[in-house]
Each structure stands twice: as structure tokens, then as C-alpha cells.
Amino acid sequence: MIRLQNIEKVYRTSTVETLALSSINLDIAKGEFLSIMGPSGCGKSTLLNIMGLLDAPSKGDIKIDNQKTDHLSDKQLAAFRNKKLGFIFQSYHLINDLQVLDNVELPLLYRDSTAKERKMLATEALEKVGLANRVKHFPNQLSGGQKQRVAIARAIVGRPEIILADEPTGNLDSAMGSEILDILLQLNQKDGTTIVMVTHDENMAHKTHRLVRLFDGSQVQ
Amino acid sequence: MLKNYFKIAIAVLRRRKFFTFISLFGISFTLTILLVLTAFIDKVVGDNYPDRKRDRSLYIARLEEVGKGNMSSGAPSYYFLDHFARNLKTPAKMAICSGFNGTNTYINNKKIAVNYKYTDAVYWDIMEYDFVEGKAFDKKQVENAEKVAVISEDMKNEYFGDVPSVIGKYIEADNVKYRVTGVVKNIPITSYMTYSDIYLPYTVSKSDYKDKGYRGGYTAILLANSKDDLPKMHDEYDQMVQRIPMESKDFNKIYSHADKYIAAYVDTGNENQSGVVLVLTIISVFVFLFMLLPTLNLVNINITRIMERSSEIGVRKAFGASSKTLVYQFIVENIILTLLGGLAGLFLSIVAIYIINSANLIPNLELSVNFTVLFIGLLVCLFFGLLSGVYPAWRMSKLDVVTALKAQ
């Protein structure tokens, strides 16, 4: 589903060159749930951003669903992300000015869909994460765990084939964290969604199909 | 999509009340000034009472004589207009009138300021004053230098009080008594070519209207048979001016033009060029500078406002918004903001115009917000919205997704 070949990422300033990722080769199969672990600053999030086409590698190739992505324009990249990918962030990144339902509808705004369809799909997604009774709430009226569930609903509303989760339980206590992981596991098992998750939690990582470890920008496991 | 933009625009406006106030205040205040100004210009330039045949009239209001080291500029004399302009072939009619002059009169020991104006009899044929009572003085009365007068409604009320009729009664101005023949509807002072409190036959003028100097205080109104004759009438007068002998050895060139109302209104008397271009340039520069400040202010506020939302920008981009879509979103939001400012500005304008009218700052000048003004106002709003929204939106849309997401 995702193929990374010789990925390298270098951050350059006028005086310093920092190697964030080096020679990353990774094949992630369709329906796989993969964890990425490693110490802070080892390049986990950078790798996830590159997989999510949010950042471009300095070298190497990415193929998603057998499609090369390096030649895509801003507009094509946006459409590709919209269709194929869903994102979950550590700090939720919900839009505080919008109600829960509007937040969840967001990815659907950028594709052909009617208001009715959007509402239906968003309600469905919220039901899946157990928040159907919170549609009219604003994000600041929710707990951390609820916010992350809204973020998951937003990530799955467009029925993407891949979900990229960057420390989705990082801001939550262990009970809430387990709830979120359970939802992700269900999505993976029931819907066959491919999930790549960055985490610091060994226990969680071991519940997924495969674990990749990074150290100083290189793959060590 | 638009509904979603609208929701978020309103939410953002409500969240940052101070910024919203500053933005809306800037837009609405500027718009109010512009709307009141355009209402004023619209009234002054567009109101054609009693000058209803303005579209087929030309006005000779200025004369400039130039010599080596000498220059004399101002309104022409009665003699000049009667002696030279009278010979023009194209005009169907020609009226001569003076500008208005001020004097004082007394009634029951109370001082009243009075403006008076001299006209000939044709003036009343060309102009279509609405007579509240009576009629204008006629040609014979002018020729006989009868001491008769047409007065304005305000003058009637001030001088005679609340009486049913004043025809045949006498009004004193400059120690001379004039018999009233007619009362006309009021005119604001901004219609300076036709405004006065008292209209008198030019033949009763104390100054010598027969004086052969070219410069005096008179204006000629040339009425053509049709609009199409205006260029011909204009050219005929221009050619005639070339042939006019110099008044004295001090001068070697005379400049004077028969202009349309607006051109005559703003005529600088300056060489061959009317003042229209100059006035339009001054107004445009003024409006541009006046609008530039709030626009820059808005650009600045918008950049701050938008950058605060970088996390939202990151999320939208991650979930499929292209840079173009985001530019569109932020411009729409900005247009919503400016239209709200526009509505507030419109409301303030109506209040300001009501106050100006009630305070009677310029007597008889009734300003109103009309459709032209409203249309200009809406255009100004859209201009503001685009100008202050495009740059911040473009800058923000270029924001890298990862950087935008990290900003929270």
C-alpha cells in the first residue's frame, strides 16, 4: 500500500545541515497496522509527514497504492490526500470555531458532496467513535479523549484507505489512550484500513501488526 | 461550502471582538465619509432644479485676460456678454445674470442677511423655477428698470412672516424698496449659479452695467435648440473669443469658454483647460489616500488574524484543501467582513445624513442616500474586501503544512 525507497530528509539552513532521515526503505501492506517508535527527535514524525505527503523527502521515492507522488502539483496532492489519507494528530488540531459535526465534515468539503451527504457521513463517523450525542458541541466543551475521538471521526469520514496517526494517545491518560487504540484496532480489523501510528508506548506498539524503530533518522528494526 | 465559510467567518469575528471592532470601525467609518461625500457631490452636481434644461445649456462664467506680466481672471462683465456673446448664432436663447452678492436689511430693528442677484428677463424663460406665488418680472419691467423683485420662500417667511401672500408688498434691500412680483421655491447655496434670496432686474443695479470693461460679475447661459448643438455652440464661442479686440494694451490674449454645467462649476479660468480634470484628479487622489489607510490597516489585521489560524490552515491542507481553495475561503471571509462593515457604514451614513439635514448646515440642501450612492458604497466594500484579503490570503496559503501544524 505504501512503499518508501531510499528516503532521505535533510534540513538545511545557511550554516547547518541536519540529516533527519536516512536510507529508509519500508513496505507497508494493505490492511497492515504498523507502529513507529524511537526516541524524541529521531525522525518519526518527519517520516509520517513524508508518508502523508505533507512534506517532501530530499531524496528517494514514495509510492502509495502503486502511484508515484513526486510529480504531483499542489492541487493534485491536495486531492490525493483527500481521497486516500486520513490524519490523526497528537494535539487533535480541531477547529475550535466549528461545532463537532462541522469539524468532522471538513474533509468532505473538498470533494463533490452535498450538504445532506456530508451530514449523513459525519454522523455515521461520529457514531463509530461513540460521539453521536456530541454533534452540536464545540471542541472546547469536550475532554481530551473526546477530542481525539472527534479527530478520528474526521480522519475516517472520507473513508480513506490509509490513516496516519502521530502519537494519537500522547496527550491522554492510559485509560483514554486504550480507548483510542481500541477504536483504531477496530477500524483496522473491521474496515481493513491501513494504519501507521507513531507512538512512545511499547504496550500499544505491541498490539499492532508490526513495529519499526528509528534511531537518529535510521531504521534500526 | 459557502455556508461553512460563513459560519467560520462569523465565529472568527465573534472570537476576536477587539479586532472585529477595529476592522468594522475602519470600514464603516471610511465608507460613511465616502457615502456622505458622494451624496453631497451627487446632490450638488446632479440636482438640476431650476436648471432643468442643463443638458442643452452652456455657461460662460469665466474670463481670463493675459498680457506680459499682467493677468486678470474672473467673471465677465454684462457689457462683454451683451456686446460679444449676444452675437452668437447657434444659441436659441441667451440669459445674463450676476452671481449673488450679500447685503443687510432690517425689519423691526432686526438685521437680516440677504443675498441678491441680478438677472434679465430671458433668465426666467430658460430657468424653470417653481413659483409658490406670483411670477417673474418681464422684459418691459427690466427695460424700464422697475424696482421689482422675485424672492425665495425662505426670504418671504423671514422678512414678511407667516402671511398668505406677499405679491405687491415691498421688500427693502440696500436702502431700496422693491415690489415683490413672485416667490420661488428655495434653492441651496451649492447651486451657486441659480441661488439667491432676492432676484432683481439687472437694470436696477447700482454699479454701472454699461461699463465697457470686460471683467465684471456676470454669467451668460446659452440655451441650444438641442443637445447636438452644444459642440457647435462651444466652438462658435471659442472662435468668437479669438476675434475679440483687446480691452487694453496690458493684455494680448483672452481666454474664455462656454462650458457645460459641471465644467463651468469647477472652471479654474486657467488657460485653455477647464478645471474638470484637475478637480477629478484631486478627488481621486483624496479618495485613494483616504481608502489606503484603512486598507493597509485591514491588511495588517488580516495577516495577524490569519496567522493565528495556522493550525486550521495546516489541517485544511492535510485533509485536501489546495492553496487556491484556501485563498478563496479567506477572501470570502474577508468579503463577508467588509460587507458587514458596509452595512454598518450604510446605517451610519443614513444617520449622518439625517443629522446633516436636520442641523440644516447648508440651508435647503437635502442630502439623501440614493441608489447611485448605494451602488458606489457596495463597490467600495468589495474593493476593500478584495484588496485587504488577497495578500494575506495568498501569503497564508503558501504556508507549509508541517510548519502550520506545528504553530499551535
Side-chain angles (χ1 to χ4, degrees):
Chain A
M1 191 70 192
I2 305 174
R3 168 168 284 183
L4 303 181
Q5 284 179 311
N6 291 320
I7 294 294
E8 192 177 300
K9 180 69 183 177
V10 182
Y11 290 107
R12 290 188 177 88
T13 64
S14 53
T15 49
V16 187
E17 222 176 59
T18 313
L19 187 64
L21 289 173
S22 136
S23 304
I24 304 283
N25 288 291
L26 202 56
D27 265 320
I28 302 166
K30 191 174 166 73
E32 193 175 2
F33 193 156
L34 179 101
S35 299
I36 302 173
M37 288 193 76
S40 293
C42 71
K44 304 182 296 291
S45 295
T46 306
L47 181 61
L48 202 71
N49 288 337
I50 287 173
M51 281 187 210
L53 310 177
L54 301 177
D55 204 353
S58 310
K59 263 188 199 168
D61 289 323
I62 312 160
K63 267 188 186 171
I64 296 178
D65 207 9
N66 279 326
Q67 194 177 337
K68 278 189 86 175
T69 55
D70 53 352
H71 63 283
L72 297 179
S73 66
D74 174 71
K75 198 178 163 187
Q76 287 167 324
L77 271 178
F80 192 86
R81 278 197 297 262
N82 181 266
K83 201 175 155 200
K84 299 266 180 198
L85 305 169
F87 297 88
I88 303 168
F89 306 102
Q90 183 181 1
S91 48
Y92 329 122
H93 284 307
L94 297 177
I95 300 172
N96 287 325
D97 295 314
L98 293 178
Q99 287 176 342
V100 163
L101 190 73
D102 293 323
N103 264 290
V104 176
E105 279 185 11
L106 187 109
L108 305 177
L109 288 176
Y110 304 113
R111 55 172 80 169
D112 282 337
S113 61
T114 62
K116 203 175 159 188
E117 281 166 0
R118 287 201 295 269
K119 195 175 174 184
M120 193 190 79
L121 289 170
T123 313
E124 224 171 72
L126 281 165
E127 272 166 8
K128 266 192 185 168
V129 297
L131 277 180
N133 55 343
R134 294 279 192 273
V135 287
K136 297 263 180 208
H137 285 63
F138 284 93
N140 54 17
Q141 295 170 313
L142 303 177
S143 70
Q146 288 172 326
K147 282 183 191 173
Q148 198 58 297
R149 282 195 274 163
V150 174
I152 294 173
R154 180 179 60 188
I156 62 173
V157 73
R159 294 178 181 156
E161 292 165 64
I162 302 163
I163 286 182
L164 302 170
D166 191 358
E167 298 192 45
T169 59
N171 283 0
L172 304 174
D173 61 34
S174 58
M176 292 259 195
S178 295
E179 270 183 36
I180 296 298
L181 183 67
D182 287 345
I183 295 172
L184 293 177
L185 285 167
Q186 263 193 8
L187 281 173
N188 174 251
Q189 283 156 16
K190 277 192 180 175
D191 302 342
T193 312
T194 308
I195 302 179
V196 181
M197 175 175 77
V198 167
T199 183
H200 277 293
D201 190 322
E202 287 276 355
N203 290 332
M204 286 195 178
H206 286 300
K207 286 184 183 171
T208 63
H209 300 153
R210 184 155 59 117
L211 170 62
V212 168
R213 285 187 196 275
L214 293 185
F215 189 78
D216 280 351
S218 300
Q219 197 174 332
V220 290
Q221 180 186 334
Chain B
M1 184 81 107
L2 273 176
K3 194 178 156 195
N4 192 279
Y5 290 170
F6 189 77
K7 266 187 196 171
I8 201 152
I10 299 296
V12 170
L13 294 184
R14 285 170 64 179
R15 177 156 48 98
R16 303 305 306 262
K17 290 188 178 67
F18 183 67
F19 273 172
T20 305
F21 169 75
I22 296 279
S23 305
L24 289 181
F25 179 78
I27 301 165
S28 55
F29 183 72
T30 308
L31 201 63
T32 302
I33 302 283
L34 284 177
L35 281 182
V36 172
L37 194 74
T38 44
F40 184 79
I41 292 173
D42 189 56
K43 182 75 185 172
V44 169
V45 173
D47 190 13
N48 63 352
Y49 168 72
D51 203 2
R52 293 189 178 118
K53 295 173 196 142
R54 191 183 288 170
D55 61 335
R56 54 187 179 104
S57 300
L58 292 181
Y59 304 78
I60 305 169
R62 307 283 295 187
L63 173 79
E64 186 171 307
E65 296 173 283
V66 181
K68 208 174 177 184
N70 295 307
M71 203 270 275
S72 167
S73 175
S77 65
Y78 181 87
Y79 170 81
F80 177 88
L81 296 169
D82 185 51
H83 195 73
F84 299 113
R86 184 77 75 195
N87 299 327
L88 293 171
K89 300 278 184 286
T90 322
K93 284 178 183 173
M94 184 180 99
I96 299 178
C97 61
S98 71
F100 61 84
N101 295 296
T103 183
N104 294 319
T105 188
Y106 295 86
I107 180 158
N108 299 330
N109 288 327
K110 190 184 143 203
K111 191 166 104 176
I112 300 177
V114 172
N115 289 312
Y116 63 95
K117 175 183 183 82
Y118 297 114
T119 78
D120 60 8
V122 186
Y123 179 83
W124 300 100
D125 286 346
I126 295 180
M127 295 297 162
E128 294 181 5
Y129 283 85
D130 293 337
F131 276 82
V132 178
E133 62 169 323
K135 56 180 184 175
F137 40 81
D138 59 26
K139 195 178 171 195
K140 205 168 168 196
Q141 287 172 308
V142 174
E143 279 169 6
N144 294 340
E146 282 184 34
K147 293 193 168 53
V148 285
V150 170
I151 63 173
S152 71
E153 217 175 344
D154 271 354
M155 191 77 255
K156 172 197 161 184
N157 292 334
E158 200 171 359
Y159 194 87
F160 296 103
D162 190 14
V163 291
S165 174
V166 294
I167 303 301
K169 292 190 176 182
Y170 284 86
I171 186 166
E172 193 180 308
D174 241 3
N175 298 319
V176 180
K177 283 188 170 179
Y178 299 95
R179 184 167 51 82
V180 176
T181 65
V183 178
V184 290
K185 223 176 97 184
N186 294 318
I187 295 174
I189 197 166
T190 44
S191 302
Y192 82 100
M193 283 208 199
T194 51
Y195 163 82
S196 190
D197 298 317
I198 304 181
Y199 300 84
L200 305 169
Y202 71 91
T203 43
V204 302
S205 165
K206 283 181 179 173
S207 60
D208 185 8
Y209 65 89
K210 289 175 185 156
D211 183 277
K212 291 187 177 173
Y214 286 0
R215 290 255 293 98
Y218 284 83
T219 297
I221 302 158
L222 311 176
L223 182 73
N225 282 316
S226 76
K227 251 196 278 191
D228 303 337
D229 282 348
L230 291 184
K232 191 177 160 197
M233 199 155 80
H234 175 270
D235 293 347
E236 190 191 354
Y237 179 68
D238 269 7
Q239 283 157 19
M240 196 200 78
V241 170
Q242 307 293 322
R243 298 193 299 269
I244 292 173
M246 293 303 123
E247 185 183 358
S248 79
K249 284 176 187 166
D250 294 339
F251 303 118
N252 53 32
K253 181 83 184 157
I254 295 173
Y255 295 101
S256 180
H257 307 282
D259 290 321
K260 285 186 186 169
Y261 181 79
I262 297 167
Y265 211 104
V266 294
D267 199 341
T268 55
N270 189 1
E271 298 279 329
N272 291 309
Q273 200 180 5
S274 85
V276 177
V277 176
L278 184 68
V279 167
L280 284 181
T281 310
I282 290 171
I283 290 178
S284 310
V285 169
F286 170 76
V287 168
F288 177 74
L289 288 177
F290 192 72
M291 281 172 44
L292 190 66
L293 287 176
T295 305
L296 288 178
N297 179 31
L298 272 184
V299 170
N300 209 13
I301 287 177
N302 281 338
I303 289 176
T304 321
R305 237 166 29 97
I306 288 175
M307 289 305 166
E308 273 181 355
R309 291 164 66 188
S310 61
S311 150
E312 179 191 331
I313 294 159
V315 169
R316 285 184 185 273
K317 279 196 158 186
F319 282 101
S322 64
S323 299
K324 204 172 141 191
T325 317
L326 285 174
V327 170
Y328 174 65
Q329 178 195 335
F330 281 90
I331 289 175
V332 168
E333 277 186 27
N334 231 44
I335 288 176
I336 292 170
L337 174 75
T338 44
L339 283 179
L340 284 177
L343 278 181
L346 192 65
F347 174 74
L348 286 178
S349 309
I350 291 168
V351 171
I353 285 174
Y354 175 77
I355 291 171
I356 291 171
N357 287 342
S358 310
N360 214 11
L361 289 177
I362 301 173
N364 303 314
L365 188 77
E366 281 289 318
L367 297 182
S368 57
V369 176
N370 64 18
F371 286 109
T372 318
V373 175
L374 190 63
F375 180 68
I376 292 172
L378 283 175
L379 278 185
V380 169
C381 275
L382 285 177
F383 179 73
F384 261 111
L386 287 174
L387 206 65
S388 58
V390 169
Y391 174 67
W394 174 80
R395 233 186 92 172
M396 163 281 311
S397 74
K398 294 286 160 211
L399 210 59
D400 171 57
V401 191
V402 177
T403 320
L405 286 171
K406 273 183 189 161
Q408 193 176 43

